[in-house]
Amino acid sequence: MKPSDPPKRVGVIVPPANPTVEPEFRRLLPPECGMYVTRLPVLQGELQARIDGYVQHYAAATTSFGALALDALFVAVTAPTYAMGEAADRALCESLSTDAGVPLVTASLAIVDTLRTLKVDAIALVSPYPAWLTARAQAYLEGAGVRVTQLVSIDDPFRAYHLVTRDVVATLKRVDPKGAGAVLLTGTGVRTLDAIAAASADFEIPLLSSTLCGAWRVLELLGGRPGADLSRATPSLAARLPG
């Protein structure tokens, strides 16, 4: 490693049109952690067919970094593995990790691992998905032992990539945290960090997102310290990482 190289390198696999993962994930990592991105291919067909087809391209995405030496991989997509359930998702991560030679975690599995670390077994779920995909997310979480106390949809058509902070903040105002141990904003395409910062004072429980959980899980695997935005967004999680 050259003196100018980062001590740790994370490879991130992103859906082709997702505009949110790179800026938000970068903010959640510490400066000394390098981030390198590859994109899944553009697939044809309706939304569900495209989503379900992505899993078949995960292995190729892990090899698309070529000779770049990585320390961990993050698949910044939830919807495809929500269809699989936790056990199959975990088996997929283990298989891809073995082939890649470094730890790999999907966003969906990172959510489950984060909730278990926080000892949270009930959440209010905020979803930007159409109804069928929201139901898929809820089934995955409940299959992993996480009860959904309230389901709040941002919008039924899939327009997660076009939502802005004020849309997310307005949706969070509809959340009733009673009975929940955390609020989860699912979907890596939704801009969440500024909304979490704006709304966190209104909640006594953690506000989490798919990308935030992914960054925390990757840093836990690497033994890395939290980035400034992760520390601000979820102090209870950041405290579990080296300072």
Side-chain angles (χ1 to χ4, degrees), residues 131-149:
W132 65 268
L133 189 46
T134 297
R136 178 184 285 191
Q138 183 171 355
Y140 177 99
L141 292 163
E142 291 181 341
V146 180
R147 183 167 54 91
V148 176
T149 61

Side-chain angles (χ1 to χ4, degrees), residues 57-232:
H57 297 273
Y58 285 3
T62 66
T63 65
S64 68
F65 293 95
L68 178 64
L70 299 171
D71 297 289
L73 285 156
F74 174 52
V75 183
V77 198
T78 51
T81 42
Y82 274 158
M84 300 171 63
E86 182 198 353
D89 191 359
R90 197 170 295 278
L92 174 67
C93 288
E94 291 174 356
S95 175
L96 292 171
S97 296
T98 298
D99 291 344
V102 297
L104 176 146
V105 64
T106 59
S108 48
L109 196 60
I111 290 169
V112 170
D113 290 343
T114 301
L115 292 173
R116 287 183 181 154
T117 295
L118 292 173
K119 295 181 168 50
V120 169
D121 60 6
I123 62 168
L125 179 63
V126 178
S127 171
Y129 298 142
W132 65 268
L133 189 46
T134 297
R136 178 184 285 191
Q138 183 171 355
Y140 177 99
L141 292 163
E142 291 181 341
V146 180
R147 183 167 54 91
V148 176
T149 61
Q150 184 190 18
L151 179 59
V152 180
S153 293
I154 296 178
D155 203 358
D156 190 70
F158 184 81
R159 62 181 192 96
Y161 297 164
H162 305 289
L163 296 171
V164 296
T165 296
R166 65 175 176 273
D167 298 322
V168 182
V169 170
T171 302
L172 286 170
K173 292 182 183 300
R174 295 161 46 204
V175 172
D176 179 2
K178 184 178 180 181
V183 178
L184 173 65
L185 296 95
T186 187
T188 62
V190 181
R191 296 166 177 84
T192 58
L193 291 186
D194 291 337
I196 287 173
S200 59
D202 297 330
F203 292 86
E204 296 181 356
I205 56 177
L207 301 182
L208 305 173
S209 71
S210 303
T211 304
L212 190 155
C213 291
W216 179 81
R217 182 68 178 119
V218 164
L219 290 169
E220 184 190 40
L221 289 167
L222 295 178
R225 69 184 181 97
D229 277 272
L230 198 157
S231 295
R232 281 192 290 267

Side-chain angles (χ1 to χ4, degrees), residues 39-65:
R39 288 186 175 265
L40 292 165
V42 176
L43 303 180
Q44 302 303 313
E46 297 296 324
L47 177 63
Q48 184 170 351
R50 298 198 308 272
I51 285 172
D52 292 342
Y54 283 145
V55 175
Q56 305 306 316
H57 297 273
Y58 285 3
T62 66
T63 65
S64 68
F65 293 95

